[in-house]
Amino acid sequence: MSSTNLRTLSRYSDSLSYAYLEHAVIEQEQNSIAAFTSDGRISLPAANLSCLLLGPGTRITHAAIKVLAECGALVAWTGHDGLRFYASGQGKTRLSQGIELQAKHWADPDLRLQVVRRMYQLRFSERLPRRLTLQQIRGKEGVRVRDVYQKLARQYGVAWHGRSYDRKSWQSADPVNKALSAANSALYGVISAGLHALGYSLSLGFIHTGKQLSFVYDIADLFKTETSIPAAFEAAAQGDLKVESRARSIFRDRASHERLQDRLVKATANLFSSEKPNSQGDNVEVSEPADLWDPQGNQRGGILHGCDDP
């Protein structure tokens, strides 16, 4: 296929992670966008932005949405501090190999089990024995995460009484639980943008199931102990004031340091063995018509099949 049939933008793994805005008006600014808040004007590099999270009190113009769509940036509408996900726009990819490969492994019990075991294996430095059942692996994972919480609590001098908060009484949560929710929400935004960019379904989860973001939760769990969880404890150690905002900021720095986006691209592709879709997250818009499925192999689209029949 000639290069004239393709339109390629920056790769997802090369993009900035995300930006969160609330109580702002977002408008087009030349070939990019700008946000206007009570604190002034903020220029945002749309071409290098992976995900824009819009919180309460935000308004965005049609022209700004058009620029973001052309740049392949995911736009997501969220609740306060990004803690609830309501809706999102399109990501970078225009191809379907990712979701087809994901659906194949999701629908086949044996292939799904392989993916689940790979997901758990990625969380451990040592090799998991094949004889372990899923229940035993989940037990080991529970111990691992518990130890991470306790280690970080000691490291940052933060009181830790377990992961607990009431959605109906958010302000009653302790600082570290507020920070965890905020940092995890930011992580979900970055993961959602990445999976959109790579052409996967957010809802076809392998370990998690039954939720709109099941696959997001699957992939996020691969990176929480290196990014959002330590970011939350570091933020909580600095006090309760603006702890959610501070947690998101620290998470963003950690995500950059840990090369989260690049690792996300590679880890997700490796879950599906040697069958890998376009793993660059390129915004490739193909002018050729879609292929037609056939049991003997896909057939070319865009032609009148049967015209040469006698």
Side-chain angles (χ1 to χ4, degrees), residues 49-244:
L49 191 64
S50 170
C51 179
L52 178 63
L53 304 178
L54 301 180
T58 51
R59 290 182 293 163
I60 187 165
T61 65
H62 181 278
I65 284 288
K66 183 175 182 291
V67 168
L68 290 164
E70 290 175 344
C71 291
L74 175 71
V75 182
W77 284 261
T78 72
H80 178 65
D81 282 326
L83 299 179
R84 294 290 298 275
F85 174 86
Y86 299 130
S88 67
Q90 65 181 12
K92 291 187 175 183
T93 189
R94 303 293 184 268
L95 304 176
S96 64
Q97 292 102 315
I99 193 171
E100 290 174 3
L101 188 57
Q102 178 187 7
K104 172 184 174 182
H105 285 72
W106 178 84
D108 185 306
D110 292 332
L111 292 177
R112 182 170 184 171
L113 180 59
Q114 289 180 17
V115 173
V116 168
R117 295 186 74 95
R118 286 175 185 150
M119 284 181 169
Y120 279 120
Q121 181 60 69
L122 287 171
R123 309 181 199 187
F124 293 90
S125 57
E126 75 277 7
R127 194 74 183 171
L128 294 176
R130 294 185 61 83
R131 67 177 182 276
L132 291 181
T133 66
L134 275 184
Q135 184 176 1
Q136 290 172 323
I137 294 175
R138 284 193 292 265
K140 287 178 66 67
E141 168 65 0
V143 172
R144 183 186 75 93
V145 174
R146 182 196 64 194
D147 290 346
V148 168
Y149 281 135
Q150 293 175 348
K151 176 183 176 181
L152 290 169
R154 292 192 298 269
Q155 178 181 341
Y156 288 103
V158 173
W160 175 247
H161 305 293
R163 184 75 172 108
S164 175
Y165 67 94
D166 185 354
R167 289 179 180 272
K168 297 180 180 179
S169 182
W170 173 251
Q171 294 304 320
S172 66
D174 58 31
V176 69
N177 271 289
K178 289 180 181 177
L180 279 167
S181 294
N184 284 339
S185 180
L187 173 62
Y188 297 151
V190 175
I191 299 297
S192 295
L195 295 179
H196 265 294
L198 298 170
Y200 295 108
S201 165
L202 304 189
S203 58
L204 290 183
F206 291 80
I207 295 175
H208 296 86
T209 187
K211 295 291 185 179
Q212 188 182 35
L213 300 179
S214 292
F215 196 46
V216 175
Y217 302 145
D218 281 354
I219 301 301
D221 281 350
L222 303 180
F223 304 105
K224 275 184 179 179
T225 57
E226 301 168 86
T227 57
S228 60
I229 294 178
F233 277 87
E234 183 178 346
Q238 300 174 33
D240 193 10
L241 185 63
K242 296 184 177 180
V243 68
E244 298 99 325

